[in-house]
């Protein structure tokens, strides 16, 4: 069983590491939000059941604890990279809080709760997350269009 679990983790990295690459870090905020949400929903649709099993089994299996922690760390790094422009404009504490909020909002756990407990479809989750990220980023760092027009966007 341990060998099978190890191979499943390796397979995840091989099959899905491309989803965690951030190629649009300098794009318009609206496009980065859409890309972030699309990649997360696509990933969770593909591996959601595997992640649920891994989280449940990680309580009693140390290698799965490390694997789940590694996946969560990669997701957090993706968030930090994709929204670096916005995070740089904040104090370190504000940036850490906003990055954590974005990552948690678009986490596998949040996706599972929205689907299972609230009967939201993947399409509804995408729409909800796009609206939520637009709102929180605008509230915390201002409107991207205004920043770009003023020449202050990075």
């Amino acid at each position: 069983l341990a060998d099978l679990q190890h191979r499943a983790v390796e397979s995840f990295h091989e099959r899905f590491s491309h989803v965690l690459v951030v190629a649009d870090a300098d794009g318009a905020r609206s496009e980065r939000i859409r890309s972030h949400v699309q990649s997360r929903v696509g990933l969770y649709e593909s591996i959601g059941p595997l992640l649920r099993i891994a989280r449940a089994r990680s309580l009693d299996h140390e290698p799965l604890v490390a694997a789940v922690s590694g996946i969560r760390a990669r997701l957090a790094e993706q968030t930090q990279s994709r929204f670096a422009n916005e995070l740089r404009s904040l104090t370190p504490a504000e940036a850490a809080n906003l990055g954590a909020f974005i990552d948690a909002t678009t986490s596998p756990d949040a996706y599972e709760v929205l689907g299972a407990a609230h009967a939201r479809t993947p399409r509804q989750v995408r729409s909800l997350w796009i609206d939520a990220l637009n709102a929180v980023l605008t509230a915390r760092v201002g409107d991207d269009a205004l920043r770009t027009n003023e020449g202050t966007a990075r």
Side-chain angles (χ1 to χ4, degrees):
L1 182 62
D3 188 48
L4 183 62
Q5 291 169 337
H6 179 72
R7 281 187 275 160
V9 170
E10 285 180 353
S11 175
F12 166 82
H13 290 295
E14 291 169 9
R15 292 179 53 207
F16 297 104
S17 62
H18 70 281
V19 174
L20 300 176
V21 173
V22 176
D24 60 354
D26 292 325
R29 181 189 301 159
S30 62
E31 291 306 313
R32 288 181 287 125
I33 289 171
R34 187 169 308 285
S35 175
H36 188 75
V37 169
Q38 291 284 69
S39 70
R40 294 285 174 108
V41 170
L43 178 65
Y44 303 154
E45 278 296 291
S46 298
I47 65 162
L50 178 62
L51 282 176
R52 279 192 297 281
I53 292 168
R55 284 195 316 266
R57 294 284 303 152
S58 69
L59 297 174
D60 61 356
H61 189 52
E62 188 59 38
L64 282 179
V65 170
V68 169
S69 293
I71 291 168
R72 288 185 187 280
R74 295 212 38 215
L75 291 169
E77 289 168 10
Q78 179 194 46
T79 298
Q80 296 293 323
S81 295
R82 185 161 278 129
F83 298 105
N85 289 339
E86 289 79 9
L87 299 176
R88 274 194 293 269
S89 70
L90 302 171
T91 67
E94 291 170 333
N97 287 340
L98 181 57
F101 177 82
I102 293 169
D103 190 54
T105 298
T106 59
S107 71
D109 307 286
Y111 186 79
E112 185 176 338
V113 168
L114 288 168
H118 300 287
R120 300 297 93 180
T121 66
R123 182 177 179 181
Q124 290 171 318
V125 173
R126 279 191 294 273
S127 179
L128 174 64
W129 282 356
I130 288 169
D131 289 349
L133 294 185
N134 273 319
V136 75
L137 285 165
T138 298
R140 299 299 295 166
V141 298
D143 184 42
D144 192 42
L146 292 176
R147 292 165 45 92
T148 301
N149 290 337
E150 295 170 359
T152 59
R154 293 183 171 123

